[in-house]
Every structure is written in structure tokens, then in C-alpha cells.
Amino acid sequence: MATSKTLVSQSQYFSNKTHSRKTLNKINSFTRITYVSHDLMKSRHGFHKSSFSLKLNHFALWESKNDSHGRILHVPSISRAIVASANMNKNDEYHKQKNMTFVEELRSVAMKLHVKDPSRKGGNNETMAQILMKEKPSLHGYVNFLVDSKVVYDALEKIVTDTDYSSYAELRNTGLERSGALAKDLEWFTEEMGIQIPPPTTAGIAYASYLEEVAVKNPKAIFCHFYDIYFGLAAGGRMLGKRASEKILEKKELEFYKWNNGELSELLQNARERLNKVAQSWSREEKDRCLEETEISFKYSEDIMKLIIS
């Protein structure tokens, strides 16, 4: 009969930067180890799970008195096997990454951040998009969201147009630009709904300021923010816009969610090709530095999205 033990000690072979859980399943004369780890210093790589089989003589096991748990006393073979397995996973990830286009890498990193966040206050571990899709937007909050969004798009579009960095030419005139559309929408709120447009909040100002700063310190980082901002709007952003339209605007479709100068799918494909073209000449280190901006972009964007239900 198969039995299951939890190895509660941590081998000296593992870095104190890694939180790990190891599960032992004894089946006949072999033992199957499942090792799950999360490297807190490399959040982009997320969780890793490895499984492998070892003979019982590879390790020593001490039973507690109530036979409820076991503890490893000496596990050099297991430790080496786990480390070897982890290295194999890293190699597999490296080869998978190597075969990806840069846009596929951007998408992969972004998708890993679209997971439940257990750190949210009150035990709410839903993503911000899930929360916004359930909560009713407020008219005041939605206008604030549009104002802050315009501040960010203004900053980004000014950076790629005016900054003396040759690669930014690939980010110009993509048809995805939203600043002009947002200006029309805010004008509509004033003229048709009599709403006085408020100044931007600290959320929008903070993100715009960060974009201006990073464009100087690390110009390549802008390509990550470009992807997250425009492609994010084309995906989940449109769903949030549709819900706001149905709940508070009597199904009015804002210009923010229209792309009149071409089919959206074609515009996005053109942008993908441009991003991939630029990144072809980048080193692995340069690509990784850009990919690391994804989490920063998500944080700033989430702060702005929260305004919708404020």
C-alpha cells in the first residue's frame, strides 16, 4: 500500500532565498519525490514543480512516535537529485525561451502575473480585473480612470515621438494611439453629461512620471510598457469598458475603445512585428531587463484601474 510522508526539514543544499515543500510517496521499493519551490528573488519565473523516483537506500528516514510525519536526517542523494532536476527545469525553460519571439516572451511574463494574489487585504485573492468585473463602476470613478489613463497615454506617446532614441520610431504611428480618443471622450462627458473634468490623481501622475524617468535611464524598458499598456487595453481593458458602458453610460461606446484607422487585429499584429524587429539586436540581458518592467507596469496600471470603483 502506498504511504505518504512530508519531509519537514530543509536540506543545506538549498538557498535560504527559496521556500520549498517536498512530498514523499513510498511505492514498493521506490520512492517518488515531488518538489515544489518558489524563488522569491525571481518572481518572474514563478513556481516550479519537479518529480523523480529514488530507491529507498538513497536516504534515511526517522519516524515520529505517532507515525504521523517523518523527518529527513541525511539526504545528500535527494538533495543532489533535486538540484539536478531544478537545473534541468531551468535548461528546459531556457530553450523554450530561446525559441520564443520577444513578444511571446512579453506575453508569457504578463500571463504569469494574471494569477490570484494571496497578499490582497481581507483575504480577497482575486485579480483586479475579476474584482472590477463584479463591482459596479461609479461615474465619478470612471471619469477619474479616463483622466488618469489620458495622462499615461500622453506621456508614453510624447516619449516615443519626441525622445532622441532611434528605435522609438518603430513605436510611432501604430494606429494604437489613444490620447486623441480620450480627449474626445472627456469632452463628451463635459458637453453631454455636464461633468466637470477633475485633475488627474496621484496614480496617473505617478505612472506618467515613471515612464518619463525610465525612458532616460533605460530606454528599452519603454517597449515593455508599450506592450502592456496597448495590448492590455485591447484585451481586458475593452471588457472593462464594455461593462462600464452597460452599467453607467446607457451602452454608450467611447472613442477610447474604437480603432477607426484599421482593424484592431491588424494593428496589433503590425505592432508585434515592430517589437520583434527591434528586439532582434538585443542581448539576453537587455531583454530580461525589459521583461522585468512588466510587474512595475501592472502595479501602476492596477492603481489606475481601482479608480473605476472608487
Side-chain angles (χ1 to χ4, degrees):
M1 179 181 296
T3 61
S4 178
K5 304 283 185 187
T6 300
L7 311 186
V8 296
S9 67
Q10 189 171 4
S11 167
Q12 62 181 346
Y13 287 87
F14 295 103
S15 166
N16 58 10
K17 296 178 182 177
T18 301
H19 290 189
S20 61
R21 187 183 79 246
K22 301 178 284 295
T23 302
L24 171 68
N25 293 303
K26 180 179 176 183
I27 304 175
N28 298 326
S29 62
F30 285 84
T31 297
R32 186 157 185 82
I33 300 293
T34 299
Y35 170 70
V36 181
S37 70
H38 182 221
D39 192 335
L40 301 179
M41 301 300 292
K42 297 181 179 180
S43 60
R44 181 166 72 83
H45 298 295
F47 288 88
H48 300 284
K49 181 176 181 180
S50 304
S51 295
F52 43 88
S53 296
L54 298 172
K55 290 185 178 180
L56 293 180
N57 60 7
H58 284 170
F59 56 89
L61 185 67
W62 176 84
E63 299 283 349
S64 63
K65 291 182 179 179
N66 60 7
D67 197 30
S68 60
H69 293 86
R71 292 183 179 179
I72 283 292
L73 293 178
H74 183 62
V75 289
S77 298
I78 291 179
S79 297
R80 285 193 291 271
I82 291 175
V83 171
S85 178
N87 288 334
M88 289 176 63
N89 281 345
K90 288 183 179 180
N91 288 334
D92 290 342
E93 184 175 344
Y94 170 76
H95 289 300
K96 182 179 179 181
Q97 185 182 49
K98 189 175 181 180
N99 293 326
M100 285 182 174
T101 66
F102 183 58
V103 169
E104 287 173 339
E105 289 189 59
L106 285 166
R107 183 179 184 277
S108 176
V109 174
M111 291 302 294
K112 288 178 181 178
L113 291 174
H114 282 296
V115 296
K116 293 183 177 182
D117 182 359
S119 68
R120 293 193 188 280
K121 294 180 179 180
N124 189 343
N125 63 353
E126 293 178 305
T127 65
M128 178 53 60
Q130 289 173 323
I131 293 173
L132 293 176
M133 288 301 290
K134 292 197 306 183
E135 299 287 337
K136 181 178 179 179
S138 71
L139 181 59
H140 171 75
Y142 190 61
V143 172
N144 280 331
F145 162 76
L146 295 175
V147 170
D148 277 26
S149 296
K150 185 175 186 302
V151 170
V152 173
Y153 282 100
D154 284 347
L156 181 56
E157 290 166 17
K158 188 175 189 301
I159 287 169
V160 301
T161 300
D162 297 346
T163 303
D164 186 18
Y165 184 67
S166 59
S167 295
Y168 285 168
E170 296 294 340
L171 303 183
R172 298 170 192 158
N173 303 315
T174 62
L176 297 174
E177 293 78 15
R178 296 290 86 196
S179 183
L182 281 164
K184 292 179 181 179
D185 287 333
L186 293 175
E187 183 179 351
W188 179 83
F189 276 100
T190 299
E191 295 181 353
E192 300 298 325
M193 302 193 70
I195 295 176
Q196 184 176 358
I197 303 304
T201 73
T202 55
I205 294 173
Y207 195 7
S209 298
Y210 179 79
L211 291 173
E212 293 166 354
E213 178 182 345
V214 78
V216 175
K217 294 182 177 179
N218 179 21
K220 291 182 175 64
I222 290 296
F223 289 85
C224 175
H225 291 275
F226 178 96
Y227 175 86
D228 293 333
I229 290 171
Y230 288 107
F231 282 72
L233 174 64
R238 285 194 296 165
M239 290 191 292
L240 293 176
K242 181 178 180 181
R243 178 172 175 79
S245 173
E246 292 173 348
K247 296 296 182 180
I248 59 177
L249 300 179
E250 298 182 352
K251 298 187 177 181
K252 160 73 176 177
E253 184 180 11
L254 299 181
E255 297 297 319
F256 188 31
Y257 306 103
K258 296 179 184 178
W259 286 266
N260 296 324
N261 51 351
E263 292 292 334
L264 179 57
S265 59
E266 295 178 6
L267 297 176
L268 293 174
Q269 180 57 32
N270 177 57
R272 290 188 190 96
E273 292 173 359
R274 294 189 185 197
L275 289 168
N276 287 331
K277 176 183 175 182
V278 170
Q280 281 180 346
S281 62
W282 293 2
S283 67
R284 182 69 260 165
E285 182 181 0
E286 289 172 323
K287 290 180 180 178
D288 287 341
R289 284 189 66 195
C290 182
L291 293 170
E292 288 169 1
E293 292 290 316
T294 303
E295 191 167 358
I296 298 172
S297 175
F298 269 52
K299 178 62 175 65
Y300 279 118
S301 296
E302 184 175 274
D303 288 342
I304 295 174
M305 285 192 295
K306 289 176 183 176
L307 296 171
I308 295 176
I309 56 175
S310 63

mmCIF file of all heavy atoms in Angstrom, residues 211-242:
data_model
loop_
_atom_site.group_PDB
_atom_site.id
_atom_site.type_symbol
_atom_site.label_atom_id
_atom_site.label_comp_id
_atom_site.label_asym_id
_atom_site.label_seq_id
_atom_site.Cartn_x
_atom_site.Cartn_y
_atom_site.Cartn_z
ATOM 1 N N LEU A 211 7.350 56.653 -16.382
ATOM 2 C CA LEU A 211 7.665 56.441 -17.795
ATOM 3 C C LEU A 211 8.697 57.451 -18.287
ATOM 4 O O LEU A 211 9.641 57.100 -19.008
ATOM 5 C CB LEU A 211 6.395 56.532 -18.640
ATOM 6 C CG LEU A 211 5.376 55.405 -18.463
ATOM 7 C CD1 LEU A 211 4.104 55.712 -19.239
ATOM 8 C CD2 LEU A 211 5.963 54.065 -18.911
ATOM 9 N N GLU A 212 8.522 58.701 -17.892
ATOM 10 C CA GLU A 212 9.468 59.746 -18.300
ATOM 11 C C GLU A 212 10.856 59.482 -17.722
ATOM 12 O O GLU A 212 11.874 59.702 -18.387
ATOM 13 C CB GLU A 212 8.947 61.113 -17.851
ATOM 14 C CG GLU A 212 7.678 61.546 -18.582
ATOM 15 C CD GLU A 212 6.986 62.724 -17.917
ATOM 16 O OE1 GLU A 212 7.441 63.128 -16.823
ATOM 17 O OE2 GLU A 212 5.996 63.226 -18.494
ATOM 18 N N GLU A 213 10.888 58.979 -16.502
ATOM 19 C CA GLU A 213 12.167 58.705 -15.842
ATOM 20 C C GLU A 213 12.866 57.504 -16.464
ATOM 21 O O GLU A 213 14.066 57.547 -16.762
ATOM 22 C CB GLU A 213 11.922 58.462 -14.351
ATOM 23 C CG GLU A 213 13.178 58.125 -13.564
ATOM 24 C CD GLU A 213 12.876 57.841 -12.104
ATOM 25 O OE1 GLU A 213 11.769 58.177 -11.642
ATOM 26 O OE2 GLU A 213 13.754 57.257 -11.425
ATOM 27 N N VAL A 214 12.124 56.412 -16.681
ATOM 28 C CA VAL A 214 12.746 55.197 -17.189
ATOM 29 C C VAL A 214 13.162 55.355 -18.646
ATOM 30 O O VAL A 214 14.097 54.696 -19.116
ATOM 31 C CB VAL A 214 11.803 53.994 -17.012
ATOM 32 C CG1 VAL A 214 10.701 53.978 -18.081
ATOM 33 C CG2 VAL A 214 12.583 52.679 -17.024
ATOM 34 N N ALA A 215 12.491 56.230 -19.378
ATOM 35 C CA ALA A 215 12.870 56.474 -20.769
ATOM 36 C C ALA A 215 14.273 57.060 -20.864
ATOM 37 O O ALA A 215 14.970 56.876 -21.869
ATOM 38 C CB ALA A 215 11.870 57.412 -21.433
ATOM 39 N N VAL A 216 14.701 57.734 -19.815
ATOM 40 C CA VAL A 216 16.053 58.306 -19.764
ATOM 41 C C VAL A 216 17.052 57.273 -19.260
ATOM 42 O O VAL A 216 18.136 57.112 -19.828
ATOM 43 C CB VAL A 216 16.071 59.562 -18.862
ATOM 44 C CG1 VAL A 216 17.496 60.086 -18.715
ATOM 45 C CG2 VAL A 216 15.158 60.643 -19.422
ATOM 46 N N LYS A 217 16.698 56.570 -18.192
ATOM 47 C CA LYS A 217 17.624 55.634 -17.561
ATOM 48 C C LYS A 217 17.769 54.318 -18.329
ATOM 49 O O LYS A 217 18.850 53.733 -18.381
ATOM 50 C CB LYS A 217 17.162 55.340 -16.130
ATOM 51 C CG LYS A 217 17.224 56.540 -15.200
ATOM 52 C CD LYS A 217 16.794 56.151 -13.796
ATOM 53 C CE LYS A 217 16.921 57.319 -12.827
ATOM 54 N NZ LYS A 217 16.488 56.943 -11.454
ATOM 55 N N ASN A 218 16.678 53.844 -18.884
ATOM 56 C CA ASN A 218 16.687 52.556 -19.589
ATOM 57 C C ASN A 218 15.679 52.613 -20.741
ATOM 58 O O ASN A 218 14.563 52.104 -20.635
ATOM 59 C CB ASN A 218 16.324 51.424 -18.619
ATOM 60 C CG ASN A 218 16.292 50.065 -19.291
ATOM 61 O OD1 ASN A 218 16.876 49.865 -20.347
ATOM 62 N ND2 ASN A 218 15.590 49.118 -18.678
ATOM 63 N N PRO A 219 16.042 53.236 -21.853
ATOM 64 C CA PRO A 219 15.095 53.456 -22.966
ATOM 65 C C PRO A 219 14.407 52.190 -23.453
ATOM 66 O O PRO A 219 13.243 52.243 -23.868
ATOM 67 C CB PRO A 219 15.980 54.062 -24.062
ATOM 68 C CG PRO A 219 17.125 54.676 -23.330
ATOM 69 C CD PRO A 219 17.373 53.792 -22.149
ATOM 70 N N LYS A 220 15.084 51.064 -23.386
ATOM 71 C CA LYS A 220 14.478 49.818 -23.878
ATOM 72 C C LYS A 220 13.283 49.390 -23.023
ATOM 73 O O LYS A 220 12.411 48.657 -23.493
ATOM 74 C CB LYS A 220 15.530 48.701 -23.910
ATOM 75 C CG LYS A 220 16.612 48.898 -24.967
ATOM 76 C CD LYS A 220 17.589 47.733 -24.958
ATOM 77 C CE LYS A 220 18.613 47.865 -26.090
ATOM 78 N NZ LYS A 220 19.463 49.057 -25.932
ATOM 79 N N ALA A 221 13.232 49.840 -21.771
ATOM 80 C CA ALA A 221 12.116 49.463 -20.892
ATOM 81 C C ALA A 221 10.780 49.959 -21.430
ATOM 82 O O ALA A 221 9.729 49.370 -21.145
ATOM 83 C CB ALA A 221 12.347 50.026 -19.494
ATOM 84 N N ILE A 222 10.811 51.032 -22.200
ATOM 85 C CA ILE A 222 9.567 51.589 -22.739
ATOM 86 C C ILE A 222 8.843 50.589 -23.636
ATOM 87 O O ILE A 222 7.612 50.588 -23.711
ATOM 88 C CB ILE A 222 9.865 52.895 -23.510
ATOM 89 C CG1 ILE A 222 10.281 53.993 -22.526
ATOM 90 C CG2 ILE A 222 8.671 53.350 -24.339
ATOM 91 C CD1 ILE A 222 9.190 54.386 -21.536
ATOM 92 N N PHE A 223 9.598 49.710 -24.281
ATOM 93 C CA PHE A 223 8.964 48.738 -25.170
ATOM 94 C C PHE A 223 8.075 47.779 -24.379
ATOM 95 O O PHE A 223 7.037 47.342 -24.866
ATOM 96 C CB PHE A 223 10.034 47.972 -25.951
ATOM 97 C CG PHE A 223 10.713 48.805 -26.991
ATOM 98 C CD1 PHE A 223 11.797 49.610 -26.663
ATOM 99 C CD2 PHE A 223 10.249 48.824 -28.294
ATOM 100 C CE1 PHE A 223 12.411 50.400 -27.622
ATOM 101 C CE2 PHE A 223 10.854 49.607 -29.266
ATOM 102 C CZ PHE A 223 11.946 50.404 -28.929
ATOM 103 N N CYS A 224 8.473 47.446 -23.161
ATOM 104 C CA CYS A 224 7.645 46.606 -22.299
ATOM 105 C C CYS A 224 6.371 47.344 -21.899
ATOM 106 O O CYS A 224 5.279 46.780 -21.965
ATOM 107 C CB CYS A 224 8.428 46.193 -21.060
ATOM 108 S SG CYS A 224 7.453 45.275 -19.841
ATOM 109 N N HIS A 225 6.508 48.583 -21.493
ATOM 110 C CA HIS A 225 5.336 49.363 -21.092
ATOM 111 C C HIS A 225 4.406 49.592 -22.277
ATOM 112 O O HIS A 225 3.180 49.570 -22.125
ATOM 113 C CB HIS A 225 5.779 50.689 -20.479
ATOM 114 C CG HIS A 225 6.464 50.533 -19.154
ATOM 115 N ND1 HIS A 225 5.766 50.454 -17.964
ATOM 116 C CD2 HIS A 225 7.776 50.408 -18.830
ATOM 117 C CE1 HIS A 225 6.617 50.297 -16.969
ATOM 118 N NE2 HIS A 225 7.846 50.269 -17.464
ATOM 119 N N PHE A 226 4.978 49.816 -23.439
ATOM 120 C CA PHE A 226 4.174 49.955 -24.659
ATOM 121 C C PHE A 226 3.307 48.716 -24.856
ATOM 122 O O PHE A 226 2.089 48.810 -25.089
ATOM 123 C CB PHE A 226 5.100 50.163 -25.861
ATOM 124 C CG PHE A 226 4.384 50.270 -27.181
ATOM 125 C CD1 PHE A 226 4.067 51.519 -27.711
ATOM 126 C CD2 PHE A 226 4.042 49.135 -27.908
ATOM 127 C CE1 PHE A 226 3.406 51.625 -28.939
ATOM 128 C CE2 PHE A 226 3.385 49.230 -29.132
ATOM 129 C CZ PHE A 226 3.066 50.476 -29.646
ATOM 130 N N TYR A 227 3.924 47.551 -24.753
ATOM 131 C CA TYR A 227 3.181 46.303 -24.931
ATOM 132 C C TYR A 227 2.093 46.159 -23.872
ATOM 133 O O TYR A 227 0.931 45.869 -24.189
ATOM 134 C CB TYR A 227 4.129 45.113 -24.872
ATOM 135 C CG TYR A 227 3.414 43.781 -24.929
ATOM 136 C CD1 TYR A 227 3.094 43.200 -26.158
ATOM 137 C CD2 TYR A 227 3.033 43.121 -23.757
ATOM 138 C CE1 TYR A 227 2.410 41.998 -26.212
ATOM 139 C CE2 TYR A 227 2.349 41.912 -23.807
ATOM 140 C CZ TYR A 227 2.042 41.356 -25.036
ATOM 141 O OH TYR A 227 1.347 40.171 -25.083
ATOM 142 N N ASP A 228 2.453 46.327 -22.609
ATOM 143 C CA ASP A 228 1.491 46.125 -21.525
ATOM 144 C C ASP A 228 0.315 47.093 -21.622
ATOM 145 O O ASP A 228 -0.837 46.708 -21.388
ATOM 146 C CB ASP A 228 2.190 46.287 -20.168
ATOM 147 C CG ASP A 228 3.191 45.189 -19.898
ATOM 148 O OD1 ASP A 228 3.019 44.080 -20.435
ATOM 149 O OD2 ASP A 228 4.160 45.435 -19.162
ATOM 150 N N ILE A 229 0.585 48.342 -21.962
ATOM 151 C CA ILE A 229 -0.461 49.359 -21.983
ATOM 152 C C ILE A 229 -1.416 49.164 -23.160
ATOM 153 O O ILE A 229 -2.636 49.093 -22.994
ATOM 154 C CB ILE A 229 0.159 50.766 -22.000
ATOM 155 C CG1 ILE A 229 0.816 51.063 -20.654
ATOM 156 C CG2 ILE A 229 -0.882 51.829 -22.333
ATOM 157 C CD1 ILE A 229 1.642 52.342 -20.623
ATOM 158 N N TYR A 230 -0.871 49.051 -24.357
ATOM 159 C CA TYR A 230 -1.738 48.964 -25.541
ATOM 160 C C TYR A 230 -2.368 47.588 -25.702
ATOM 161 O O TYR A 230 -3.563 47.485 -26.025
ATOM 162 C CB TYR A 230 -0.946 49.324 -26.798
ATOM 163 C CG TYR A 230 -0.619 50.792 -26.893
ATOM 164 C CD1 TYR A 230 0.675 51.253 -26.685
ATOM 165 C CD2 TYR A 230 -1.604 51.735 -27.173
ATOM 166 C CE1 TYR A 230 0.984 52.596 -26.760
ATOM 167 C CE2 TYR A 230 -1.310 53.082 -27.252
ATOM 168 C CZ TYR A 230 -0.009 53.512 -27.045
ATOM 169 O OH TYR A 230 0.287 54.852 -27.112
ATOM 170 N N PHE A 231 -1.600 46.545 -25.491
ATOM 171 C CA PHE A 231 -2.161 45.205 -25.646
ATOM 172 C C PHE A 231 -3.095 44.874 -24.484
ATOM 173 O O PHE A 231 -4.059 44.129 -24.650
ATOM 174 C CB PHE A 231 -1.036 44.174 -25.761
ATOM 175 C CG PHE A 231 -0.402 44.130 -27.117
ATOM 176 C CD1 PHE A 231 0.428 45.159 -27.549
ATOM 177 C CD2 PHE A 231 -0.634 43.067 -27.977
ATOM 178 C CE1 PHE A 231 1.013 45.132 -28.807
ATOM 179 C CE2 PHE A 231 -0.058 43.029 -29.243
ATOM 180 C CZ PHE A 231 0.778 44.062 -29.659
ATOM 181 N N GLY A 232 -2.813 45.427 -23.307
ATOM 182 C CA GLY A 232 -3.719 45.233 -22.179
ATOM 183 C C GLY A 232 -5.071 45.873 -22.422
ATOM 184 O O GLY A 232 -6.118 45.307 -22.086
ATOM 185 N N LEU A 233 -5.064 47.046 -23.029
ATOM 186 C CA LEU A 233 -6.328 47.714 -23.351
ATOM 187 C C LEU A 233 -7.108 46.914 -24.384
ATOM 188 O O LEU A 233 -8.335 46.767 -24.275
ATOM 189 C CB LEU A 233 -6.050 49.121 -23.887
ATOM 190 C CG LEU A 233 -7.276 49.884 -24.407
ATOM 191 C CD1 LEU A 233 -8.280 50.145 -23.294
ATOM 192 C CD2 LEU A 233 -6.848 51.195 -25.063
ATOM 193 N N ALA A 234 -6.399 46.385 -25.368
ATOM 194 C CA ALA A 234 -7.063 45.630 -26.432
ATOM 195 C C ALA A 234 -7.685 44.334 -25.924
ATOM 196 O O ALA A 234 -8.606 43.802 -26.546
ATOM 197 C CB ALA A 234 -6.070 45.318 -27.549
ATOM 198 N N ALA A 235 -7.205 43.840 -24.794
ATOM 199 C CA ALA A 235 -7.732 42.589 -24.225
ATOM 200 C C ALA A 235 -8.699 42.898 -23.083
ATOM 201 O O ALA A 235 -9.861 43.225 -23.299
ATOM 202 C CB ALA A 235 -6.575 41.722 -23.756
ATOM 203 N N GLY A 236 -8.215 42.794 -21.846
ATOM 204 C CA GLY A 236 -9.093 43.000 -20.685
ATOM 205 C C GLY A 236 -9.648 44.403 -20.577
ATOM 206 O O GLY A 236 -10.751 44.601 -20.049
ATOM 207 N N GLY A 237 -8.917 45.401 -21.066
ATOM 208 C CA GLY A 237 -9.392 46.781 -20.984
ATOM 209 C C GLY A 237 -10.701 47.002 -21.701
ATOM 210 O O GLY A 237 -11.575 47.741 -21.231
ATOM 211 N N ARG A 238 -10.863 46.365 -22.829
ATOM 212 C CA ARG A 238 -12.123 46.508 -23.575
ATOM 213 C C ARG A 238 -13.299 45.883 -22.834
ATOM 214 O O ARG A 238 -14.418 46.395 -22.883
ATOM 215 C CB ARG A 238 -11.981 45.877 -24.957
ATOM 216 C CG ARG A 238 -11.163 46.718 -25.928
ATOM 217 C CD ARG A 238 -11.345 46.226 -27.348
ATOM 218 N NE ARG A 238 -10.832 44.874 -27.505
ATOM 219 C CZ ARG A 238 -11.114 44.093 -28.547
ATOM 220 N NH1 ARG A 238 -11.948 44.514 -29.494
ATOM 221 N NH2 ARG A 238 -10.592 42.885 -28.653
ATOM 222 N N MET A 239 -13.055 44.789 -22.137
ATOM 223 C CA MET A 239 -14.128 44.151 -21.363
ATOM 224 C C MET A 239 -14.593 45.056 -20.233
ATOM 225 O O MET A 239 -15.797 45.180 -19.969
ATOM 226 C CB MET A 239 -13.654 42.809 -20.818
ATOM 227 C CG MET A 239 -13.457 41.747 -21.881
ATOM 228 S SD MET A 239 -13.204 40.097 -21.185
ATOM 229 C CE MET A 239 -11.595 40.317 -20.411
ATOM 230 N N LEU A 240 -13.625 45.699 -19.564
ATOM 231 C CA LEU A 240 -13.985 46.627 -18.501
ATOM 232 C C LEU A 240 -14.745 47.819 -19.067
ATOM 233 O O LEU A 240 -15.695 48.315 -18.456
ATOM 234 C CB LEU A 240 -12.718 47.100 -17.780
ATOM 235 C CG LEU A 240 -11.959 46.041 -16.983
ATOM 236 C CD1 LEU A 240 -10.680 46.637 -16.405
ATOM 237 C CD2 LEU A 240 -12.830 45.486 -15.868
ATOM 238 N N GLY A 241 -14.336 48.288 -20.241
ATOM 239 C CA GLY A 241 -15.031 49.405 -20.880
ATOM 240 C C GLY A 241 -16.454 49.054 -21.254
ATOM 241 O O GLY A 241 -17.371 49.865 -21.101
ATOM 242 N N LYS A 242 -16.649 47.837 -21.728
ATOM 243 C CA LYS A 242 -17.998 47.396 -22.097
ATOM 244 C C LYS A 242 -18.897 47.321 -20.871
ATOM 245 O O LYS A 242 -20.070 47.722 -20.919
ATOM 246 C CB LYS A 242 -17.932 46.030 -22.784
ATOM 247 C CG LYS A 242 -19.283 45.501 -23.235
ATOM 248 C CD LYS A 242 -19.148 44.164 -23.953
ATOM 249 C CE LYS A 242 -20.509 43.653 -24.396
ATOM 250 N NZ LYS A 242 -20.407 42.333 -25.091
#
